[in-house]
Amino acid sequence: MADQHELRDKGLRLTPQRELVLQAVRELGHATPEEVAEKVRATHPGINLSTVYRNLETLENVGLVQHTHLGHGGATYHAAEELTHLHLVCGDCGSVGDAPIDVAANFVQNLADDYGFRTDVSHFAIYGTCAACVK
Amino acid sequence: MADQHELRDKGLRLTPQRELVLQAVRELGHATPEEVAEKVRATHPGINLSTVYRNLETLENVGLVQHTHLGHGGATYHAAEELTHLHLVCGDCGSVGDAPIDVAANFVQNLADDYGFRTDVSHFAIYGTCAACVK
DNA sequence: CGCTACTTGCGAACTACTTGCTTCTTGGAG
DNA sequence: CTCCAAGAAGCAAGTAGTTCGCAAGTAGCG
């Protein structure tokens, strides 16, 4: 598995727990640490919450996962491969929709041109009201 | 004061503490509940943190202040009058810059057209790297 | 196969925020 | 001007989410 490479290059190991955490993130799409832990417990009940937290942090350093703020305060994790969309969080119903990252391309360009600011659009959710709740 | 109106219309009161909280938010531009509390304590040392939290919530319901997520998890409050800009948070140095809301106009329009999503751009910070750190 | 450094599990500690309860205060009514 | 009900403040305990310390376990190089 290529993942092993990413880890070992930094002197890290691919432990069963770590593998499970990564797999859980990939399957869940986006999930809070708590949700990841729950998922992992399905196949490995003894895993500790702090292990999940540590592994998410580790995997993030290596670049295999990334976190996003969806608003409630807690971070939400993604597999790095999926980071091609941004999140539309509805303040009314709480749903989280996706949109391809290029709807923001123009916006990102504006910020780069006018402020020299290099934007990571997917890091924060976009807050508003979804189509269903607007009605 | 007009504020009194906004409050009383909803059966709420204008207490010294509430006034101070509002004033602190206005003076600070944007601040975490903790920072507001600290500011208020300068002139009213006995104020309780929970009072600040409750007042921020109350003032938000009335529409005099609004909160934004800047990322660390805690909310950040603004006076409603100042909500005409969005926040550029730098992941490297942690600085928070402002940008007029119209740089996002295009982006907002895209989301509205393609997804029927009504965006509140200022609610979440825009994450990235500021000009100074890009160098 | 053995060793060493990285990891895990677990409990306790922390931080940021919330809630319950009692006492005090605001502000409209009399 | 005084009274009173409802709202608000203060305090303290509670909760959620996350981190830390340390002893025991284990991946993986040699």
Side-chain angles (χ1 to χ4, degrees):
Chain A
M1 200 185 274
D3 304 337
Q4 200 163 351
H5 241 53
E6 315 268 358
L7 289 165
R8 289 229 279 267
D9 283 356
K10 304 215 176 188
L12 303 171
R13 296 181 191 162
L14 187 64
T15 61
Q17 291 90 334
R18 196 163 281 171
E19 214 172 340
L20 285 164
V21 167
L22 179 53
Q23 189 189 329
V25 171
R26 283 183 173 147
E27 286 179 25
L28 290 168
H30 39 70
T32 61
E34 201 86 24
E35 287 166 341
V36 171
E38 201 177 318
K39 179 88 181 173
V40 172
R41 287 207 186 91
T43 53
H44 189 299
I47 201 167
N48 197 277
L49 231 196
S50 60
T51 301
V52 173
Y53 275 102
R54 278 187 290 223
N55 279 336
L56 286 171
E57 194 187 320
T58 303
L59 291 170
E60 185 161 23
N61 284 335
V62 179
L64 289 171
V65 305
Q66 211 161 319
H67 76 271
T68 300
H69 296 281
L70 255 43
H72 38 295
T76 305
Y77 286 82
H78 303 246
E81 306 92 81
E82 309 231 340
L83 265 195
T84 50
H85 60 274
L86 35 85
H87 305 98
L88 305 177
V89 176
C90 176
D92 279 12
C93 67
S95 69
V96 180
D98 291 343
I101 216 159
D102 24 286
V103 295
N106 203 288
F107 172 48
V108 170
Q109 196 59 50
N110 280 348
L111 289 175
D113 291 349
D114 299 353
Y115 301 91
F117 191 85
R118 193 172 59 205
T119 311
D120 173 8
V121 222
S122 60
H123 191 84
F124 275 106
I126 307 300
Y127 184 87
T129 315
C130 71
C133 293
V134 166
K135 290 173 197 168
Chain B
M1 200 184 279
D3 304 336
Q4 198 163 352
H5 240 55
E6 315 268 358
L7 290 165
R8 287 229 279 267
D9 282 356
K10 304 215 175 188
L12 303 172
R13 298 178 191 164
L14 186 65
T15 61
Q17 292 88 336
R18 192 163 283 172
E19 214 171 340
L20 284 164
V21 167
L22 179 54
Q23 189 188 328
V25 171
R26 283 183 173 148
E27 285 179 24
L28 290 169
H30 40 70
T32 62
E34 202 86 24
E35 288 167 339
V36 172
E38 200 177 319
K39 180 86 181 174
V40 172
R41 287 206 186 93
T43 53
H44 190 301
I47 200 166
N48 197 278
L49 192 54
S50 61
T51 300
V52 173
Y53 275 102
R54 279 190 283 229
N55 279 336
L56 286 171
E57 194 188 320
T58 303
L59 291 170
E60 184 161 23
N61 285 336
V62 179
L64 288 172
V65 304
Q66 208 160 323
H67 76 270
T68 301
H69 296 282
L70 256 41
H72 38 296
T76 304
Y77 287 82
H78 303 246
E81 304 93 82
E82 309 230 341
L83 264 193
T84 51
H85 60 274
L86 35 85
H87 304 97
L88 305 178
V89 175
C90 176
D92 280 11
C93 67
S95 69
V96 181
D98 292 343
I101 217 158
D102 23 287
V103 294
N106 204 289
F107 173 47
V108 171
Q109 196 59 50
N110 280 349
L111 289 174
D113 291 349
D114 299 353
Y115 301 91
F117 190 86
R118 193 173 58 204
T119 310
D120 174 8
V121 223
S122 60
H123 191 84
F124 275 107
I126 308 300
Y127 184 88
T129 314
C130 71
C133 292
V134 165
K135 292 174 196 166

